[in-house]
Amino acid sequence: MNGKDSAILSGRVAVGATPAPAGRTASSGTAWRGTLLAGLGVLSFSGSFPATVFAMEGFDPYLVAIGRAVIAAVPALVFLVAARGPLLPPRSHLRSYLVIVAGVVFGFPVFSGLALDAGASTSHAAVVIGLLPAATAACAVLRGGERPKPAFWAACALGAVSITAFTLSRGGGHATGADLLLVGALLSAAVGYTEGGRLARETPGWRVISHALVIAAPLTVPVTVALALTTDVRPTATSLAGFAYAGLISMFLGFIPWYAGLAAGGIARAGQTQLAQPLLTLLWAWLLLDERFGPLTVAAALAVLVCVAMSQRARS
């Protein structure tokens, strides 16, 4: 193993690959590399809602929400042990990791799972969560030290308005209880994404999510065992596959390029790639769940694509 590989595995960022510090503008190449990496993360996350729906066919919603973190903790621990680095992060970063745990290990899975269980369709949930890039950008300003240009905010606002109008039109002009749960999910994710993106500026993305999962394990493991013993468990091939996707892809592997992309391209800028997630989730919902949507959904999808293009041209 050469020195560069050792540096990466030990958690140090190799020379020449250091992300732009907070408040500074990344080079064009670094910014677009961050966008591409974040896009890989979005592609992984786009299957989360359909996978959760499938998993809940055989498992309790709370068991799916918490158990996915236990599934993800297994490869996370393997990665950390293989790298021969510390299993726990520095104490100086502990507060940030607790925020990540609260946001993406507990908050988003629980809120989104309950919303789907409350009757929200996969397509409807995907569009509401489409507001996540705007929330992440706001968190990036408050916590990440980023200062996007006005053109960026215009694109962000246009995307948020388009998605909100679509959601209200589907809900008869008002928000439902499931919508409120989805808002809780997107706020949880925005906070967790921002904090993880900050840490990924100096720590590889795989190590950030791995540390978060290991820190959460003393709580997620016993809760998962208790839920497995006290809830109705009816595993099928489909529900097991959905559960596995939610744990391995949505909760672990997807975060590796996602956090790396946020660090390289800027949390606010790269985070706007998530405007494409509703479109991808709608596609999976149509292919896997046979959910139907009409011209209004297509119009909203096109509006979101325009917003993605505009936000990526607006450099931080």
Side-chain angles (χ1 to χ4, degrees):
M1 181 181 295
N2 58 38
K4 182 178 179 179
D5 292 336
S6 299
I8 294 174
L9 287 176
S10 64
R12 299 191 301 273
V13 179
V15 175
T18 305
R24 296 186 183 179
T25 301
S27 67
S28 178
T30 299
W32 280 107
R33 185 167 63 251
T35 298
L36 292 175
L37 286 170
L40 288 176
V42 168
L43 180 61
S44 301
F45 297 150
S46 67
S48 296
F49 285 160
T52 300
V53 170
F54 283 135
M56 290 193 303
E57 291 179 0
F59 301 94
D60 178 81
Y62 285 104
L63 177 57
V64 174
I66 306 300
R68 61 190 273 180
V70 176
I71 295 174
V74 176
L77 187 60
V78 171
F79 272 50
L80 290 171
V81 171
R84 298 182 181 180
L87 297 182
L88 296 175
R91 291 185 61 182
S92 59
H93 291 166
L94 183 58
R95 181 176 299 179
S96 292
Y97 277 101
L98 291 177
V99 171
I100 296 172
V101 168
V104 302
V105 177
F106 290 104
F108 181 83
V110 171
F111 283 127
S112 61
L114 291 178
L116 292 171
D117 186 57
S121 67
T122 300
S123 56
H124 183 82
V127 177
V128 175
I129 295 297
L131 291 171
L132 182 54
T136 302
C139 288
V141 171
L142 296 173
R143 181 64 173 154
E146 298 183 6
R147 295 295 182 269
K149 292 181 178 179
F152 172 89
W153 287 114
C156 185
L158 179 59
V161 169
S162 300
I163 292 169
T164 301
F166 175 81
T167 302
L168 293 178
S169 68
R170 293 286 294 271
H174 63 276
T176 64
D179 288 328
L180 297 179
L181 288 169
L182 289 170
V183 170
L186 76 89
L187 291 177
S188 298
V191 172
Y193 288 169
T194 301
E195 206 64 30
R198 290 181 64 251
L199 290 177
R201 290 168 177 164
E202 56 185 81
T203 304
W206 70 265
R207 190 178 287 276
V208 172
I209 189 59
S210 295
H211 280 319
L213 291 166
V214 170
I215 289 174
L219 183 57
T220 58
V221 171
V223 170
T224 298
V225 171
L227 288 171
L229 294 175
T230 58
T231 59
D232 184 21
V233 176
R234 295 171 282 102
T236 63
T238 301
S239 63
L240 288 172
F243 209 164
Y245 186 100
L248 295 176
I249 306 299
S250 301
M251 194 72 257
F252 182 64
L253 293 178
F255 276 97
I256 297 176
W258 174 246
Y259 277 152
L262 294 184
I267 297 171
R269 184 181 191 274
Q272 293 305 294
T273 57
Q274 202 150 37
L275 279 169
Q277 185 167 327
L279 310 178
L280 294 170
T281 302
L282 288 173
L283 176 62
W284 301 136
W286 175 62
L287 291 174
L288 301 176
L289 302 174
D290 198 30
E291 291 190 9
R292 304 298 178 180
F293 44 85
L296 183 60
T297 302
V298 177
L302 293 175
V304 168
L305 284 176
V306 171
C307 295
V308 171
M310 291 173 58
S311 67
Q312 294 310 299
R313 290 182 62 85
R315 293 288 304 280
S316 295

